[in-house]
Amino acid sequence: MDVESEEMIAQFRKRYPFPLDPFQEEAIQALAVGESVMVTAPTGTGKTVVAEFGIFRAYTQRKRVFYTTPIKALSNQKFKDLREQYGDAVGLLTGDIIENPNGHIIVMTTEVMRNMLLQSPSEFTHTTCVVFDEIHYLADSERGTTWEESIILCPKNIQLVCLSATISNAQEVASWISQTHRPTRLISHSKRSIPLALYYFLDGKLNQIINNEGKKVVDFKGVGGEAKRGFRNRLRDLRDPETDERKRERPEPTQRDIVEALEQGGMLPAIYFMFSRNDCEVAAELVALNRHSSTRDPKTLAQIDEVCTRYLNYLEEEDRKIQQVKTIITLVRRGFGFHHAGLLPILKQLVEELFSKGLMNVVFATDTLALGVNMPAKTVVIGRLTKFDGQTRRPLIPNEFQQMAGRAGRRGLDIQGHVVVPYSPWITFEETILIATGPLLPIESAFSVRYNSVLNLYDPPAGERILQILRNSLMEFQQSRRLRELALEVQHTQKTYDLAKVGCLIGLPEGEELLHEYDSLGHKIQENRNEERRAIEEEIRLRKKLDEAPWHRPMRETLRQIFRTLQPGTLIHCEQNGWGIYLGRSSEGGIGLFIFGDKTVKLEEYRTIDYMPPERFQITLPDSLLKIERSNFSISECATAEELNAIAEQLRQINLPDLATWLREARQEASNKYTPTLIKVQNRAQQTKEQSLELKEQEQKHPCHSCDVRKKHRSLQKDSARLLLARDEAQKLYDERKHYEEGRLRGTLKGLISVLKRFNFIDKEGYPSSKSLWLRDVFDTNGLIIIEMVSRGWLEGLQPQDLAEVFSWFAYDRDFEFLNRFVLSRPLNELRKKLDELEREVFAVERQNELQITNGYNIYYFGAARAWCRGVSLTSILEKMQLAEGDIIITFNKTLDLMRQVQDMLRMHDPDNNLIPVLAEARHMMRRGVVEQIYNVGFGVVKEELEAQDDDEQPKQDDSVEAQTKLMQLLEEEDEETDEVAVDTTNRRRFSRKRNRRT
């Protein structure tokens, strides 16, 4: 590190009243020498200091630096912080706010940076550093793609500072950034600056189960989850008074019980996380029935009233009567509040400011509060360990638990933070510990391709730039893990093979060839021996052929079966004695008694019988012979001459085969057939034997024969050959996998181009059409449908309020049904039918090309924007639409942004388009009241801007409640005159509205 960098670091250290932590020092030194860094650390440990050095370094060098955040609220907050340090050098770009865009330090949302990279990359010419705050948003389904595209498209000469909460696969993400952008050093810090202790609220008591050193101190084994054990177990426990108290289901603790325990333990302020907006509101109102002791102090109450008054002054009179506003004001004056996505943005800011100033004791919030908003507390209560994720109720994952728990512990105020989990009959204590302390799940890419990105990057006709984006995405990086594993395997086997290659161990220059030659001799000797063995076996086979009888010799088992029923007088042939006559069983044993010539003979074994005629020749024997049971009897002595003559006569009448002649003729035929082959086989056997002797003599004279290390040398050669084979196999698998991955990416690109061709954004030759310029500048998931709607002229002739209404359908992105009593005019209803047909067409083409990009508009959201543009109050709108105030206002804000994009696009590419003035008027009509206030200052109220306002300037007052009621009646009468009809949503329910954006 040079002297200048060391001096810069020393100057930077002086900006802080505390010494920097080692991980901060390591990251700062890496940045000082020009490296990119990725820092992962728990919430509240000071990783922002690293980003501040990147800003300080660029500012000192008079270069530009961009600071990106995932949401506008964080951008506004960071803009305020940096403005206090660097003054007018800081600018802000959040899409709807443009403040000092030419400043040296620009705070922006990541979406703005991505759009700049696509549309005006020259803005990065003098930029040396980009900070990506909260980079774990890569896994966010809505914003993840924007983050990936920003990193991929960012010029390689720019230094990156990536900040992230603790993630389990940080090394993988850092490796992806290093491969995609430039080498990036990963710096991980796991120790919290404020340690946490975990408590289990059971039987009205806070029981510490894990101390601030991470050690388990109490075990409630068997407690919790009783409801899951079933009704039978609960009945058994109730019947048995001796049942272990821990096995009985207890009543679930209430929010009031827990808050009271926290107050008694001095553990406030607290964030109480719940997973339902309604639960947050109900819990806050329930707990607020008892005013917190701190708010009884007149001074504290005056401070709360001062903040509330300041915020209320920026609401119009009618907006102050919104029920949500009344509820929040009542709650905060009692020391409580709630915070969720359905809360009006200005009320969110009110709650955040009061809580941050210590003027609010408990805020009940959904888990969205854990993402980004800087609201540390002394205690965090996680009200339930299960949540509904849109499809099913599931247990929390450790990532979600730790994200919320990380809000506990205020640096500089608390010695330790507290995390409280209440007892639940649905979750066992063991499951609670597993959720709270289990390993974090890895970040998974949420990358999806959008049509405007494709058209901005498309380089016809091949589209290599788009392929490069796809190849460089984190999703592809993660899906190609196996490919990288194979590449490493190829490298490893190649390296091992290179190391294993050795020469002669005794130094002979031709040692490798000599050993190969020696082994070849051994192989040839073995081959000759095998050939000699085969020749001998062939000779034996041929000799058997020469001696083989021409008939089938009966098997032993066959003879056993025959002899069980064989009748006396049956003729058989014996290999030793010739033809014989069966007399029957012998008293001496054996298989039977037979007549051979003049004698009776006992045969001991079946194998002596070599032939039995298939005709079963049989003669009749006199009783005198049948009575014989022993061998060696002379039949001439036992039978009369007449009986013997009768036997002889019967034998003459039987045409017995002459087996001797048959055998002689068969052997002569076999000799003629097999003898020449036998002679050749014998000669071959002799030749191979002689060759083997000659090769053996050569082997014994070979230099390697007497070498003491020959076996070791051969072993090394075998290892080398095995490694070479393994390398080739790994290379083959790698090539196959790479071909598959490339084919998959090209298939995705082909599908994208096919859809764009179908709707004429790309012509038949593969080049962008003039229409493509429109879609390039609209950054929305439904951009294709919106541009089709505009280009087909469906919006021509619409009034400004109707135009705003149409765009609002695409701005509402929550996927659930709700009560809506608004009706639309017939023209708007007809337009919806056209949109339905267009969406079905788009969905079908995407399915054919295996894509899921377009979501389509929300069929249940309608009427609010039109009513708002026509002067209806938010209170009146809420009476007709069952949505939270914050949801409606955020949707209005998104509607304005979408109309701004389309208006800017038309000004650029079709300046004479009739929609431009109508869009301008529609935006003007929407920007009133609470919407105007939010639109001017983004999602957060910047305090300095508010205080800079003229104290005498009063917000514009709206009509009274009675006037609003009258206005609604007049509008409804006008609707009847214009033939308004109820919106039909039944036919569209069969179409999936919320589609997976991942391609």
Side-chain angles (χ1 to χ4, degrees):
M1 185 183 301
D2 56 28
V3 176
E4 183 180 352
S5 297
E6 291 178 351
E7 291 178 352
M8 183 183 298
I9 293 176
Q11 292 177 4
F12 181 74
R13 290 194 190 104
K14 294 177 182 178
R15 297 165 65 92
Y16 297 92
F18 53 84
L20 301 184
D21 292 334
F23 84 94
Q24 295 169 331
E25 289 281 2
E26 181 185 355
I28 287 170
Q29 291 176 14
L31 289 175
V33 296
E35 294 185 50
S36 291
V37 298
M38 175 177 168
V39 180
T40 66
T43 302
T45 51
K47 53 182 177 288
T48 307
V49 171
V50 179
E52 290 175 353
F53 177 77
I55 296 171
F56 176 78
R57 180 172 181 264
Y59 182 76
T60 303
Q61 297 174 343
R62 308 307 296 169
K63 299 293 185 180
R64 297 189 85 192
V65 57
F66 292 162
Y67 194 110
T68 72
T69 69
I71 57 179
K72 295 179 181 179
L74 289 180
S75 294
N76 292 334
Q77 186 179 64
K78 202 64 195 178
F79 170 74
K80 174 185 172 182
D81 295 341
L82 293 175
R83 219 30 177 329
E84 292 175 352
Q85 300 179 52
Y86 297 98
D88 293 338
V90 184
L92 177 65
L93 299 175
T94 59
D96 47 16
I97 299 177
I98 300 177
E99 173 70 23
N100 190 21
N102 297 318
H104 281 84
I105 304 168
I106 304 297
V107 182
M108 64 182 70
T109 57
T110 316
E111 284 84 355
V112 172
M113 178 177 172
R114 189 273 310 272
N115 298 351
M116 289 171 60
L117 287 165
L118 288 173
Q119 297 177 318
S120 54
S122 60
E123 292 285 343
F124 293 81
T125 303
H126 301 292
T127 304
T128 60
C129 181
V130 170
V131 178
F132 286 100
D133 199 358
E134 309 285 353
I135 200 172
H136 50 270
Y137 267 80
L138 284 165
D140 185 81
S141 60
E142 298 293 329
R143 302 179 179 91
T145 297
T146 300
W147 285 76
E148 291 193 40
E149 290 178 344
S150 297
I151 293 173
I152 294 169
L153 296 172
C154 187
K156 302 298 186 288
N157 63 296
I158 292 179
Q159 191 177 38
L160 300 186
V161 181
C162 304
L163 308 180
S164 171
T166 303
I167 54 177
S168 61
N169 60 334
Q171 184 59 63
E172 180 182 49
V173 176
S175 298
W176 168 70
I177 297 173
S178 297
Q179 175 180 295
T180 301
H181 187 261
R182 58 184 280 185
T184 301
R185 182 190 297 191
L186 174 64
I187 299 169
S188 296
H189 179 69
S190 58
K191 185 177 180 181
R192 287 182 52 88
S193 55
I194 306 297
L196 295 181
L198 180 64
Y199 298 81
Y200 192 57
F201 190 83
L202 178 68
D203 296 334
K205 297 179 182 178
L206 287 168
N207 303 279
Q208 188 179 94
I209 53 177
I210 297 179
N211 62 20
N212 56 17
E213 296 178 354
K215 295 180 180 179
K216 189 176 179 180
V217 294
V218 177
D219 190 359
F220 289 95
K221 186 176 181 180
V223 175
E226 296 86 359
K228 294 195 299 185
R229 296 172 190 158
F231 185 67
R232 289 183 181 178
N233 290 349
R234 285 188 285 170
L235 283 180
R236 180 195 63 196
D237 294 344
L238 291 172
R239 287 195 302 266
D240 184 3
E242 301 300 324
T243 299
D244 186 347
E245 182 67 23
R246 289 189 173 190
K247 294 183 179 180
R248 292 179 180 168
E249 181 178 341
R250 298 163 167 82
E252 290 192 68
T254 66
Q255 292 82 20
R256 181 185 292 183
D257 295 336
I258 296 173
V259 171
E260 288 177 354
L262 294 177
E263 183 177 7
Q264 293 170 7
M267 297 166 65
L268 297 179
I271 300 175
Y272 202 121
F273 283 109
M274 309 184 80
F275 302 106
S276 161
R277 297 179 182 182
N278 185 62
D279 288 350
C280 290
E281 297 182 13
V282 171
E285 293 179 16
L286 176 66
V287 175
L289 291 175
N290 293 336
R291 181 189 293 271
H292 191 266
S293 58
S294 65
T295 59
R296 296 191 182 100
D297 175 33
K299 183 178 179 181
T300 302
L301 192 57
Q303 290 178 303
I304 295 174
D305 288 341
E306 185 275 328
V307 175
C308 291
T309 301
R310 175 157 48 86
Y311 277 87
L312 288 174
N313 284 339
Y314 286 90
L315 288 176
E316 297 185 4
E317 184 64 31
E318 180 60 32
D319 292 333
R320 298 178 197 176
K321 293 180 174 60
I322 296 172
Q323 184 58 48
Q324 193 178 77
V325 175
K326 295 178 180 179
T327 302
I328 282 290
I329 296 301
T330 302
L331 289 175
V332 299
R333 297 187 82 254
R334 291 179 171 268
F336 303 98
F338 58 84
H339 190 292
H340 54 65
L343 189 62
L344 286 171
I346 193 169
L347 297 181
K348 287 183 186 178
Q349 182 68 18
L350 169 63
V351 171
E352 292 165 11
E353 182 173 337
L354 288 173
F355 192 85
S356 300
K357 288 183 172 182
L359 299 176
M360 182 178 292
N361 295 286
V362 182
V363 58
F364 293 87
T366 58
D367 54 341
T368 55
L369 179 64
L371 301 174
V373 180
N374 185 21
M375 279 180 58
K378 188 171 188 176
T379 301
V380 161
V381 182
I382 301 178
R384 290 188 181 275
L385 292 182
T386 60
K387 66 179 292 188
F388 185 74
D389 60 7
Q391 295 181 341
T392 183
R393 180 162 292 280
R394 60 165 177 81
L396 297 180
I397 61 175
N399 303 53
E400 294 167 333
F401 185 95
Q402 294 191 28
Q403 183 74 40
M404 291 182 284
R407 293 294 168 187
R410 299 164 297 175
R411 194 168 190 175
L413 295 176
D414 301 321
I415 299 175
Q416 74 173 26
H418 311 282
V419 181
V420 179
V421 179
Y423 155 85
S424 170
W426 300 99
I427 299 291
T428 66
F429 177 77
E430 291 78 5
E431 291 171 331
T432 299
I433 293 295
L434 185 62
I435 292 171
T437 63
L440 296 175
L441 300 182
I443 280 181
E444 294 292 341
S445 170
F447 183 79
S448 63
V449 183
R450 296 179 182 176
Y451 296 118
N452 72 313
S453 296
V454 171
L455 292 173
N456 274 292
L457 296 168
Y458 187 51
D459 48 340
E464 281 300 321
R465 288 186 67 196
I466 303 172
L467 276 177
Q468 199 62 26
I469 295 293
L470 295 174
R471 293 189 189 109
N472 288 333
S473 68
L474 177 59
M475 175 177 286
E476 180 61 22
F477 186 81
Q478 291 180 327
Q479 290 183 348
S480 300
R481 289 188 187 109
R482 180 55 182 158
L483 186 63
R484 295 194 300 279
E485 290 170 359
L486 290 172
L488 291 174
E489 189 175 337
V490 171
Q491 295 174 9
H492 174 72
T493 52
Q494 180 65 54
K495 184 177 180 180
T496 308
Y497 171 70
D498 293 339
L499 294 174
K501 289 170 63 177
V502 295
C504 179
L505 299 182
I506 60 175
L508 295 177
E510 67 279 8
E512 290 289 310
E513 290 76 10
L514 286 172
L515 183 59
H516 179 71
E517 182 183 278
Y518 181 79
D519 287 341
S520 296
L521 287 173
H523 293 321
K524 289 179 180 179
I525 291 172
Q526 186 60 45
E527 288 175 2
N528 279 12
R529 287 175 178 171
N530 292 338
E531 180 62 25
E532 183 181 358
R533 176 179 52 77
R534 288 192 293 269
I536 293 173
E537 291 173 352
E538 181 68 8
E539 181 180 356
I540 293 171
R541 187 185 68 81
L542 290 172
R543 289 191 179 280
K544 286 183 178 179
K545 288 287 186 182
L546 293 174
D547 295 335
E548 193 175 48
W551 58 81
H552 178 68
R553 191 182 187 99
M555 303 292 292
R556 179 178 181 278
E557 188 61 33
T558 303
L559 290 173
R560 284 185 62 189
Q561 295 292 335
I562 292 174
F563 270 79
R564 288 177 182 175
T565 58
L566 192 65
Q567 298 297 318
T570 303
L571 277 66
I572 59 97
H573 190 273
C574 181
E575 189 174 12
Q576 301 295 329
N577 301 315
W579 287 102
I581 303 172
Y582 178 59
L583 285 178
R585 295 291 182 182
S586 171
S587 60
E588 299 172 342
I591 64 172
L593 197 61
F594 299 84
I595 298 174
F596 289 104
D598 187 48
K599 297 288 185 179
T600 59
V601 178
K602 178 190 69 173
L603 293 182
E604 296 286 351
E605 297 177 343
Y606 290 112
R607 64 181 180 179
T608 57
I609 299 174
D610 64 344
Y611 181 70
M612 286 198 69
E615 298 87 347
R616 295 288 189 276
F617 297 129
Q618 185 176 354
I619 64 174
T620 303
L621 296 176
D623 293 340
S624 58
L625 294 182
L626 294 174
K627 295 178 181 179
I628 299 175
E629 295 182 354
R630 301 178 64 187
S631 60
N632 292 324
F633 272 90
S634 173
I635 63 171
S636 59
E637 296 177 358
C638 298
T640 64
E642 183 179 353
E643 291 174 334
L644 293 175
N645 289 334
I647 292 172
E649 181 60 27
Q650 292 181 72
L651 291 174
R652 279 195 294 273
Q653 292 179 5
I654 298 174
N655 186 22
L656 291 174
D658 186 354
L659 297 184
T661 302
W662 189 8
L663 180 62
R664 184 172 60 254
E665 290 175 351
R667 286 180 174 174
Q668 183 61 46
E669 183 180 352
S671 177
N672 295 336
K673 181 177 180 181
Y674 296 113
T675 299
T677 305
L678 177 63
I679 295 172
K680 292 180 181 179
V681 170
Q682 290 173 334
N683 292 337
R684 190 171 80 242
Q686 183 62 31
Q687 289 175 1
T688 42
K689 185 176 182 180
E690 293 173 356
Q691 290 175 0
S692 296
L693 293 173
E694 181 180 348
L695 290 170
K696 190 65 178 176
E697 183 178 357
Q698 294 178 20
E699 183 185 52
Q700 292 174 351
K701 293 179 181 180
H702 196 278
C704 291
H705 187 70
S706 58
C707 180
D708 295 334
V709 292
R710 182 186 72 245
K711 292 183 178 179
K712 183 177 180 181
H713 190 178
R714 182 183 291 120
S715 176
L716 292 173
Q717 275 194 340
K718 288 181 179 178
D719 290 343
S720 180
R722 176 179 53 79
L723 290 171
L724 181 62
L725 182 64
R727 183 205 65 184
D728 292 342
E729 182 66 22
Q731 185 67 50
K732 179 183 177 183
L733 291 173
Y734 173 81
D735 293 340
E736 290 175 352
R737 183 73 183 192
K738 188 174 182 180
H739 178 74
Y740 164 77
E741 295 290 347
E742 185 66 16
R744 181 172 56 81
L745 294 179
R746 290 191 176 276
T748 300
L749 175 60
K750 183 179 178 182
L752 290 166
I753 301 304
S754 177
V755 174
L756 291 172
K757 282 185 176 180
R758 170 64 183 79
F759 294 99
N760 301 318
F761 291 98
I762 295 179
D763 60 27
K764 295 180 180 180
E765 286 72 31
Y767 288 87
S769 64
S770 57
K771 183 179 173 183
S772 69
L773 299 175
W774 292 23
L775 183 52
R776 283 174 55 179
D777 291 345
V778 176
F779 293 86
D780 190 84
T781 305
N782 294 302
L784 188 147
I785 289 179
I786 292 171
I787 295 303
E788 279 294 300
M789 184 172 59
V790 174
S791 65
R792 295 183 184 189
W794 292 354
L795 304 183
E796 295 288 341
L798 291 181
Q799 296 297 315
Q801 62 269 24
D802 292 337
L803 196 58
E805 170 66 22
V806 173
F807 280 97
S808 74
W809 302 341
F810 297 94
Y812 184 79
D813 56 8
R814 297 194 70 199
D815 185 33
F816 74 100
E817 300 181 25
F818 54 88
L819 178 65
N820 189 343
R821 290 195 293 268
F822 277 108
V823 292
L824 292 178
S825 63
R826 187 171 296 278
L828 288 180
N829 226 354
E830 291 299 320
L831 176 58
R832 276 206 161 202
K833 292 179 181 179
K834 291 181 182 179
L835 277 176
D836 290 345
E837 292 298 324
L838 175 60
E839 285 192 2
R840 282 194 286 269
E841 185 180 1
V842 172
F843 294 162
V845 175
E846 288 185 353
R847 281 196 302 271
Q848 291 169 7
N849 291 277
E850 298 181 357
L851 298 173
Q852 287 185 332
I853 299 176
T854 305
N855 284 342
Y857 71 90
N858 189 292
I859 62 174
Y860 302 107
Y861 185 91
F862 56 88
R866 185 167 181 254
W868 180 258
C869 289
R870 298 166 79 181
V872 178
S873 69
L874 184 59
T875 302
S876 300
I877 290 174
L878 290 169
E879 292 174 356
K880 284 203 166 189
M881 181 176 282
Q882 195 177 32
L883 282 180
E885 294 88 335
D887 286 335
I888 294 176
I889 297 304
I890 289 174
T891 303
F892 287 172
N893 198 1
K894 291 181 179 178
T895 303
L896 283 164
D897 183 65
L898 195 54
M899 288 194 294
R900 177 191 57 79
Q901 291 186 49
V902 174
Q903 183 180 351
D904 291 346
M905 176 273 294
L906 291 174
R907 283 174 176 168
M908 176 69 69
H909 304 297
D910 189 10
D912 298 327
N913 193 293
N914 295 330
L915 282 180
I916 295 175
V918 185
L919 283 166
E921 179 61 22
R923 292 174 63 198
H924 175 73
M925 294 173 72
M926 287 204 76
R927 291 181 58 169
R928 68 177 182 85
V930 63
V931 175
E932 171 69 7
Q933 179 265 316
I934 295 167
Y935 195 76
N936 283 336
V937 298
F939 285 92
V941 178
V942 181
K943 180 182 176 183
E944 286 75 11
E945 291 183 7
L946 291 175
E947 294 177 344
Q949 302 264 355
D950 187 350
D951 292 339
D952 296 331
E953 182 181 351
Q954 297 297 326
K956 181 180 178 181
Q957 301 297 317
D958 207 350
D959 295 334
S960 64
V961 176
E962 292 79 10
Q964 284 293 324
T965 304
K966 184 177 180 180
L967 175 61
M968 284 294 293
Q969 294 173 349
L970 290 173
L971 291 176
E972 288 174 358
E973 292 172 3
E974 180 184 338
D975 290 341
E976 293 175 1
E977 294 175 2
T978 56
D979 193 21
E980 294 204 352
V981 294
V983 177
D984 180 17
T985 61
T986 56
N987 292 331
R988 287 175 50 87
R989 287 178 183 169
R990 65 180 183 272
F991 300 108
S992 172
R993 306 298 344 132
K994 193 70 173 177
R995 307 179 65 201
N996 184 0
R997 292 186 179 183
R998 177 170 295 186
T999 62

